């Protein structure tokens, strides 16, 4: 139970929060006002710090009143501190403007020093989905993408409106949360390059700032992103902030929470915080316009027009702006953004229900052409790209952002790619001399889908010996390439040697270079399931143990995404912890190992923190606001681009539900249900087209915060502006693949898409007493 105490003397009272009589957080000057200085670059404002001039106490409630004069305004700030239900503390902060001159604008700031014993500069810090243990994979003590330890994020970048400092030696965390939901936001009135804006917005910010010896938990209203931010440019990472225009009589209120959370590990403490956030934010799932099974039918119908084949290759090449559906280029992608064989598996499963009489034949040709390609290599390796127009193969990295690989030498790369070429020169120039090869993730995904297709066909009475044979060749490669610690490297040349240079792209740290290890485990699990040979199981378990130790328990997951434009090529992203979850689940299914089961549940819980638990307010004039879009149930993509969301977490829905059953944790089932509905929200239907060309299409990603607004790389391009409430105008084959797979798999395993009901049925025979209410 936390207690509230005042400090200091008359006219300058401070606040101290205690846990079982031990001071844990304190503010000598609880009220800080930053006043707009009138300059476009003055994002910090002019600060005036104040203690409380008056304090009233009533039982467990403390009311502090501060009167603050800044250059153009006089303010009264009333802070009401209460002991909250469940043991934390809630702060209601109310500001009243007593007087103001024209043009006055201010920002209210709260800063709480973490003074609990044991907390120091080495404490672990989190702000999901923007920050996980400082995002410091290389261990240099600063965040990998912003290159700073001063980390403050807009509310709309935060899936649970919470930040956490955790001390592992004590098993104690201290969290600062925003407890009232931001209700409105709009396009800021600013010129390109302007870092300070005057705006009536309800979006604030939360963050963690180093103090030398420890950490300061901080909140601001309206928002500021201190130190650095990816909102304006990817290269400069300039900080920015807003100031609220004030006039006499204006009142605003914002609510915060402070809570101590225990946990033997960071994942445990983070999840305890998250279950509390779910109770406070009370997320409501999106109700879909059509049943999920109908969305599958529409996705398949929309996929088939993008089927292509030539004498050697067949596949699905969806590459369009969904707004017009016009194909931008017939480039087949294996793994990652392509998911070619997975799409073919779905066509084979649903062929009898599809209007195209050639559906089954086309699905078989797609799988067979992948098999023929993999047969060219004794290791089962394939190129990741194939251009139907030129009949050329390419590696994804040589096709950085695709144009480079598919342009002739005399076509003018700089003109084609614009400033992106200069920004990415560090990687493009080095990669131009890299050996031909492939990413482990891409090949593992396609071979895993191949084995699933093999088993599905076998269950239908059709055997494809050549499919199994080529999968075995890839399995043999994995066994030969696996390192002593159970890991694999991120990429391999076609002779099977690992690719580690240039390190700026393939990984500066060992954990960057081994970041794709988890992606091979589901394939080995499936190969063991098909053949019963223990060597596939043993390799998978060794890899999962590596993943559990480094990426789950140590929370250094990274590298799921292959096309970063940020300071590091390996992002801390949701896909990398998704693969870690899937690997630990697969291994725990093959052997009876409590540690792997626990790691699977921990990975699922960390993944769940990537999912929005609230509906972000969008600019009323934005495209998604006009369509009534809700962000609940959507997942952030990566930490550097927090505020950019995509539906890839659909691929994790069956795994989240499985982990929910394994851990007897209904909160995980709730998150799985939110994702299954929310992330299917924007599939175009007859009655709700979302501005897309045909039913069944879905946009790859959407912005619920501001991102790369000023970046010259994207001026006058289809990706320019990165406006909040807008999509990225991209549709790729992976979208249909993971969306269909989520629905198909939960139906196959549970017979229903009502996931909370499925969870109850699954756990009731053995663990009914573990059920909790979300």
């Amino acid at each position: 139970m936390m207690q509230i105490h005042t400090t200091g003397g008359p006219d300058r009272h401070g606040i101290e929060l205690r846990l079982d009589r031990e001071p844990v957080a304190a503010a000598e000057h609880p009220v800080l006002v930053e006043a707009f200085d009138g300059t476009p670059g003055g994002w910090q404002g002019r600060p005036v710090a104040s203690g409380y001039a008056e304090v009233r106490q009533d039982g467990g409630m403390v009311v502090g009143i501060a009167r603050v004069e800044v250059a153009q305004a006089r303010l009264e700030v009333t802070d009401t501190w209460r002991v909250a239900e469940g043991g934390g503390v809630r702060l209601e902060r109310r500001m009243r403007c007593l007087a103001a001159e024209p043009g006055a604008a201010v920002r209210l700031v709260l800063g709480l020093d973490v003074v609990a014993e044991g907390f120091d500069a080495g404490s672990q810090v989190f702000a999901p989905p923007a920050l996980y243990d400082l995002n410091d994979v290389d261990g240099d003590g600063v965040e990998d993408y912003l290159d700073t330890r001063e980390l403050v994020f807009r509310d709309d970048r935060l899936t649970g409106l919470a930040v956490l400092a955790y001390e592992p030696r004590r098993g104690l965390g201290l969290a600062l949360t925003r407890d009232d939901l931001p209700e409105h936001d709009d396009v800021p009135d600013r010129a390109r390059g302007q870092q300070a804006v005057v705006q009536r917005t309800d979006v604030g910010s939360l963050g963690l700032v180093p103090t030398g010896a420890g950490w300061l938990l901080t909140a601001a209203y309206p928002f500021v992103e201190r130190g650095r931010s990816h909102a304006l440019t990817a290269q400069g990472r300039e900080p920015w902030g807003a100031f609220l225009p004030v006039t006499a009589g204006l009142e605003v209120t914002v609510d915060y929470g402070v809570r101590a959370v225990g946990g033997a590990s960071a994942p445990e403490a983070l999840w305890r915080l998250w279950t509390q956030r779910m109770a406070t934010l009370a997320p409501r799932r999106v109700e879909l316009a059509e049943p999920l099974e109908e969305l599958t039918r529409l996705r398949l119908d929309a996929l088939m027009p993008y089927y292509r084949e030539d004498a050697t290759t067949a596949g699905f090449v969806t590459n369009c702006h969904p707004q017009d559906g016009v194909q931008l280029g017939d480039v087949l992608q294996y793994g990652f953004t392509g998911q070619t064989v997975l799409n073919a598996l779905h066509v084979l499963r649903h062929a009898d229900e599809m209007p195209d009489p050639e559906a089954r034949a086309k699905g078989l040709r797609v799988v067979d052409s992948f098999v023929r390609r993999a047969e060219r290599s004794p290791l089962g390796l394939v190129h990741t790209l194939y251009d139907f127009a030129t009949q050329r193969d390419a590696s994804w990295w040589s096709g950085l952002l695709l144009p480079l690989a598919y342009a002739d030498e005399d076509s003018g790369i700089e003109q084609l790619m614009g400033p992106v070429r200069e920004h990415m020169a560090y990687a493009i120039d080095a990669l131009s001399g890299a050996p031909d090869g492939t990413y482990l993730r891409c090949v593992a995904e396609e071979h895993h889908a191949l084995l699933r297709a093999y088993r599905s066909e076998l269950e239908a009475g059709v055997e494809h010996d050549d499919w199994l044979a080529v999968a075995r060749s890839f399995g043999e490669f994995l066994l030969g390439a696996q390192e002593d610690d159970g890991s694999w490297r991120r990429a391999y040349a076609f002779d099977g040697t690992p690719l580690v240079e240039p390190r700026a792209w393939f990984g500066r740290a060992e954990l960057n270079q081994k970041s794709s290890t988890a992606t091979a485990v589901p394939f080995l699990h499936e190969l063991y399931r098909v053949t019963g040979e223990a060597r596939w199981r043993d390799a998978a378990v060794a890899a999962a143990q590596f993943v559990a130790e480094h990426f789950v328990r140590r929370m250094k997951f990274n590298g799921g995404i292959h096309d970063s434009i940020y300071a590091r090529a390996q992002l801390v992203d949701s896909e990398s912890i998704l693969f870690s979850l899937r690997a630990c689940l697969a291994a725990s299914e093959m052997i009876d190992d409590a540690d792997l089961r626990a790691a699977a549940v921990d990975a699922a819980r960390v993944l769940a923190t990537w999912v929005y638990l609230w509906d972000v307010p969008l600019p009323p004039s934005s495209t998604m606001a006009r369509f009534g879009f809700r962000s609940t149930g959507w997942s952030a993509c990566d930490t550097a681009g927090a505020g950019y969301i995509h539906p890839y977490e659909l691929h994790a829905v069956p795994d989240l539900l499985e982990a929910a059953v394994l851990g007897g944790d209904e909160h995980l089932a709730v998150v799985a249900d939110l994702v299954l509905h929310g992330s299917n929200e924007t599939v175009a239907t007859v009655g709700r087209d979302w501005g897309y060309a045909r039913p069944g299409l879905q946009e790859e990603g959407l912005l619920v915060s501001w991102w790369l607004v000023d970046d010259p790389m994207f001026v006058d391009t289809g990706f320019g502006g990165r406006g909040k409430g807008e999509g990225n105008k991209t549709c790729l084959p992976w979208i249909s693949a993971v969306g269909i797979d989520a629905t198909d798999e939960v139906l196959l395993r549970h017979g229903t898409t009502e996931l909370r009901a499925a969870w109850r049925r699954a756990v009731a025979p053995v663990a009914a007493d573990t059920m909790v209410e979300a």
Side-chain angles (χ1 to χ4, degrees):
M1 180 69 70
M2 295 185 74
Q3 304 93 34
I4 307 163
H5 294 265
T6 58
T7 60
D11 299 327
R12 53 183 181 87
H13 295 278
I15 205 80
E16 183 179 82
L17 306 180
R18 299 177 186 175
L19 178 65
D20 298 328
R21 300 183 180 180
E22 175 198 354
V24 292
E28 182 180 356
H29 300 101
V31 178
L32 175 66
V33 177
E34 294 176 338
F36 180 50
D37 67 5
T39 64
W43 61 272
Q44 296 186 82
R46 295 175 179 172
V48 175
S50 176
Y52 298 131
E54 301 175 21
V55 170
R56 300 195 307 270
Q57 296 190 8
D58 183 5
M61 182 177 71
V62 174
V63 178
I65 300 173
R67 297 179 181 89
V68 183
E69 290 195 20
V70 294
Q72 294 181 296
R74 287 190 297 114
L75 309 173
E76 182 179 82
V77 178
T78 302
D79 285 349
T80 301
W81 299 82
R82 294 184 177 89
V83 175
E85 198 173 319
V89 167
R90 182 163 182 170
L91 165 64
E92 179 191 81
R93 167 161 284 187
R94 181 169 58 88
M95 181 201 76
R96 184 163 65 98
C97 180
L98 304 177
E101 298 176 17
V106 301
R107 179 191 301 130
L108 294 176
V109 179
L110 170 70
L112 289 171
D113 276 301
V114 180
V115 297
E117 184 179 349
F119 282 79
D120 56 26
S123 299
Q124 295 176 278
V125 290
F126 301 87
L131 188 69
Y132 291 88
D133 192 17
L134 199 62
N135 295 340
D136 185 21
V137 177
D138 64 5
D140 66 354
V142 297
E143 203 271 356
D144 282 355
Y145 312 103
L146 295 171
D147 293 321
T148 180
R149 288 171 61 85
E150 187 175 4
L151 301 158
V152 184
F153 308 98
R154 279 176 57 111
D155 291 337
D156 50 18
R157 298 196 202 284
L158 303 177
T159 50
L161 293 171
V163 298
L164 172 71
Y166 173 75
E167 176 44 60
R169 290 165 294 189
R170 288 195 60 180
L172 178 66
L174 197 67
L176 175 64
T177 62
R178 179 165 178 183
D179 286 355
D180 66 318
L181 293 179
E183 294 181 351
H184 60 88
D185 192 33
D186 209 337
V187 179
D189 182 12
R190 60 182 293 276
R192 185 176 296 275
Q194 185 174 333
Q195 294 172 259
V197 297
V198 176
Q199 182 184 8
R200 293 192 183 278
T201 175
D202 202 26
V203 173
S205 57
L206 297 170
L208 304 111
V209 176
T211 60
W215 291 92
L216 180 80
L217 301 176
T218 184
Y221 184 90
F223 76 90
V224 64
E225 294 191 310
R226 303 185 191 279
R228 279 180 163 173
S229 167
H230 279 120
L232 304 184
T233 69
Q235 194 162 17
R237 297 165 288 179
E238 300 89 347
W240 72 317
F243 297 89
L244 181 71
V246 292
T247 55
L250 175 72
E251 291 191 12
V252 294
T253 303
V254 60
D255 294 341
Y256 300 108
V258 184
R259 185 175 295 272
V261 289
S265 65
E268 182 179 329
L270 187 59
W271 188 241
R272 287 187 178 177
L273 170 63
W274 228 248
T275 58
Q276 295 163 3
R277 298 309 294 153
M278 292 174 73
T280 299
L281 300 176
R284 298 177 298 109
R285 81 177 191 187
V286 170
E287 296 303 329
L288 299 172
E290 299 285 352
L292 287 158
E293 294 87 339
E294 173 64 8
L295 296 187
T296 291
R297 185 188 70 78
L298 294 174
R299 286 187 189 273
L300 287 166
D301 287 349
L303 176 68
M304 296 309 289
Y306 300 100
Y307 172 84
R308 299 289 186 274
E309 67 172 293
D310 61 17
T312 66
T313 306
F316 302 100
V317 293
T318 313
N319 182 10
C320 67
H321 297 311
Q323 289 78 7
D324 59 25
V326 176
Q327 183 71 353
L328 298 174
D330 290 345
V331 178
L332 184 65
Q333 303 162 60
Y334 285 111
F336 190 34
T337 55
Q339 304 292 338
T340 298
V341 178
L342 186 56
N343 269 317
L345 166 62
H346 299 147
V347 171
L348 291 174
R349 280 180 172 174
H350 294 274
D352 292 343
E353 311 155 23
M354 297 172 64
D356 186 346
E358 294 293 311
R360 176 169 171 80
K362 290 176 180 177
L364 288 172
R365 284 199 288 271
V366 172
V367 181
D368 282 334
S369 71
F370 171 76
V371 170
R372 301 290 86 80
R373 287 177 160 273
E375 284 176 340
R376 299 176 193 170
S377 164
L379 308 177
L381 304 179
V382 297
H383 282 92
T384 44
L385 300 174
Y386 175 73
D387 186 357
F388 278 97
T390 62
Q391 297 185 322
R392 289 169 56 188
D393 291 317
S395 303
W396 181 274
W397 53 82
S398 68
L400 191 69
L401 301 182
L402 287 183
L404 190 64
Y406 297 100
D408 297 327
E409 291 183 4
D410 59 355
S411 63
I413 295 300
E414 282 75 10
Q415 182 177 359
L416 183 66
M417 298 185 73
V420 175
R421 173 66 177 83
E422 180 182 354
H423 176 68
M424 300 302 298
Y426 80 93
I428 292 172
D429 293 341
L431 287 167
S432 63
D436 215 8
T438 188
Y439 281 119
L440 176 67
R441 169 186 171 176
C442 294
V443 188
E445 284 180 310
E446 296 293 354
H447 275 287
H448 181 220
L450 173 65
L451 281 177
R452 290 178 61 192
Y454 170 82
R455 183 163 52 84
S456 179
E457 288 280 285
L458 194 63
E459 290 169 355
V462 182
E463 190 166 1
H464 299 275
D465 291 337
D466 53 338
W467 294 9
L468 179 57
V470 79
R472 278 183 173 276
S473 67
F474 179 61
E476 296 292 354
F477 159 72
L478 288 176
L479 264 60
Q482 189 170 30
E483 301 190 14
D484 291 342
D485 60 5
S487 70
W488 290 280
R489 298 287 163 164
R490 182 173 171 82
Y492 289 87
F494 281 108
D495 64 1
T497 57
L499 292 173
V500 298
E501 297 290 348
R503 289 182 179 268
W505 190 253
F506 292 117
R508 298 178 183 177
E510 280 287 294
L511 287 180
N512 291 144
Q513 292 191 6
K514 297 180 176 184
S515 60
S516 293
T517 294
T519 64
V521 176
F523 163 78
L524 290 169
H525 173 231
E526 193 69 39
L527 192 55
Y528 170 66
R529 186 176 182 180
V530 168
T531 67
E533 296 173 16
R535 59 200 187 114
W536 312 124
R537 176 200 64 201
D538 295 344
V541 169
Q545 289 170 335
F546 175 87
V547 167
E549 174 61 27
H550 295 281
F551 301 141
V552 180
R553 296 191 187 98
R554 292 178 54 199
M555 299 189 78
K556 301 301 181 186
F557 55 94
N558 72 101
I561 295 171
H562 288 338
D563 55 359
S564 167
I565 62 167
Y566 296 100
R568 306 292 175 95
Q570 286 77 35
L571 295 172
V572 174
D573 53 38
S574 59
E575 291 173 43
S576 53
I577 192 63
L578 185 162
F579 291 130
S580 298
L581 160 62
R582 190 167 289 165
C584 293
L585 278 175
S588 67
E589 183 180 314
M590 287 184 281
I591 66 168
D592 183 16
D593 187 294
D595 286 342
L596 284 173
R597 287 195 297 272
V601 174
D602 277 347
R605 289 168 171 168
V606 174
L607 178 61
T609 68
W610 284 82
V611 177
Y612 274 84
L613 300 177
W614 63 292
D615 293 330
V616 173
L618 302 177
S621 62
S622 67
T623 300
M624 304 316 292
R626 292 199 306 270
F627 278 102
F629 173 79
R630 292 180 53 206
S631 55
T632 296
W634 284 75
S635 170
C637 180
D638 59 83
T639 57
Y644 174 73
I645 59 176
H646 65 171
Y648 194 86
E649 239 60 87
L650 283 169
H651 214 190
V653 165
D655 305 293
L656 286 168
L657 186 57
E658 189 174 338
V661 173
L662 193 65
D665 189 341
E666 191 175 9
H667 288 99
L668 283 175
V670 171
V671 173
D673 189 57
L674 294 175
V675 173
L676 185 60
H677 288 78
S679 293
N680 271 305
E681 177 183 9
T682 54
V683 180
T685 64
V686 174
R688 198 175 190 197
D689 62 18
W690 293 93
Y692 302 150
R694 61 168 61 93
L697 292 183
Q698 185 179 22
E699 203 156 11
E700 182 188 42
L702 311 166
L703 270 293
V704 294
S705 187
W706 297 99
W707 186 50
L708 306 185
V709 176
D710 294 348
D711 207 307
M713 287 191 293
F714 299 102
V715 174
D716 299 324
T717 73
F719 298 97
R722 293 301 191 195
K724 180 178 177 179
E726 304 298 333
N728 71 351
K729 299 185 176 71
T730 299
C731 189
L732 293 168
W734 72 259
I735 303 168
S736 58
V738 304
I740 295 169
D741 208 46
T743 299
D744 275 6
E745 283 301 302
V746 295
L747 285 171
L748 283 169
R749 299 180 194 183
H750 300 280
T752 180
T753 56
E754 290 298 327
L755 303 189
R756 296 183 72 173
W759 179 85
R760 288 189 176 100
R761 284 201 301 270
V763 302
V766 293
D769 60 339
T770 67
M771 289 188 286
V772 294
E773 288 301 320

